[in-house]
């Protein structure tokens, strides 16, 4: 996904303001709420040219009434400036900024089938040690894998898939 520099500026500004006001945790909770609400009909409403600005602002104020004033002001500004379409990217960037600041990084665990929590925990621990930061693992299923797993974090990959092991054995046999 191509990153919009405007989205990045808005995201960074909100997080810096949240940090200065010691409300980063509350703002990130509001971001999580926005991510949840974004799965409803809210985006269509906010992006519709038929809906008046005042109506958009009123609905956002009502939906986010429990959110902090900093986050409500942020949403109001984004909508008034006609940048609501960038909110999904802003949410992603805010999460990435907050994760980076907290020393967390996102990784992907790909398996052919569901795996138990103990194996996930072991992989999580190994990856966290490898990169020197806390890893948030996103688990995906890929039935094309014959077995085992492939884990990716940043530019590192831990490939314990059956396909790779079979390929390594094939190369070893061909060399002898």
């Amino acid at each position: 996904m191509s990153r919009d520099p405007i989205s990045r500026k808005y995201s960074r500004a909100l997080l810096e303001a949240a940090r200065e006001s010691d409300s980063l945790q509350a703002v990130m909770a509001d971001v999580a709420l926005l991510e949840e609400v974004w799965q409803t009909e809210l985006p269509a409403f906010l992006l519709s040219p038929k809906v008046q600005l005042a109506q958009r602002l009123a609905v956002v104020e009502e939906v986010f009434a429990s959110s902090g004033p900093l986050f409500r002001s942020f949403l109001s500004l984004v909508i008034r400036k006609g940048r609501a379409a960038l909110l999904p990217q802003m949410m992603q960037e805010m999460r990435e900024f907050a994760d980076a600041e907290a020393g967390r990084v996102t990784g992907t665990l790909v398996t052919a089938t569901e795996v138990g929590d103990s194996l996930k925990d072991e992989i999580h621990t190994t990856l966290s040690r490898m990169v020197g930061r806390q890893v948030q693992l996103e688990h995906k299923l890929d039935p094309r894998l014959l077995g085992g797993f492939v884990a990716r974090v940043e530019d590192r990959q831990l490939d314990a898939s059956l396909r790779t092991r079979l390929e390594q054995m094939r190369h070893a046999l061909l060399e002898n």
Side-chain angles (χ1 to χ4, degrees), residues 130-165:
M130 276 176 51
V131 297
R133 293 191 285 176
Q134 186 65 19
V135 176
Q136 305 282 98
L137 271 182
E138 177 184 321
H139 185 213
K140 295 182 179 181
L141 296 178
D142 185 353
R144 294 177 296 172
L145 283 180
L146 301 175
F149 67 89
V150 176
R152 291 182 189 93
V153 178
E154 296 177 325
D155 61 345
R156 297 180 185 179
Q157 177 171 301
L158 179 59
D159 190 339
S161 66
L162 184 56
R163 173 175 283 149
T164 298
R165 288 183 184 169

Side-chain angles (χ1 to χ4, degrees), residues 53 57 60-61 70-82:
L53 177 61
L57 294 172
V60 166
E61 193 64 35
L70 177 62
F71 191 72
R72 286 195 320 269
S73 295
F74 169 78
L75 285 178
S76 176
L77 175 68
V78 168
I79 292 165
R80 279 187 278 119
K81 294 291 186 179

Side-chain angles (χ1 to χ4, degrees), residues 88-107:
Q89 186 175 337
M90 290 178 195
M91 290 181 282
Q92 179 182 349
E93 289 174 351
M94 284 184 269
R95 185 149 322 279
E96 289 170 4
F97 288 148
D99 284 347
E101 186 169 294
R104 291 184 305 261
V105 66
T106 302

Side-chain angles (χ1 to χ4, degrees), residues 100-121:
E101 186 169 294
R104 291 184 305 261
V105 66
T106 302
T108 305
L109 172 64
V110 182
T111 60
T113 60
E114 284 293 332
V115 295
D117 288 338
S118 62
L119 180 58
K120 282 183 189 176
D121 290 344

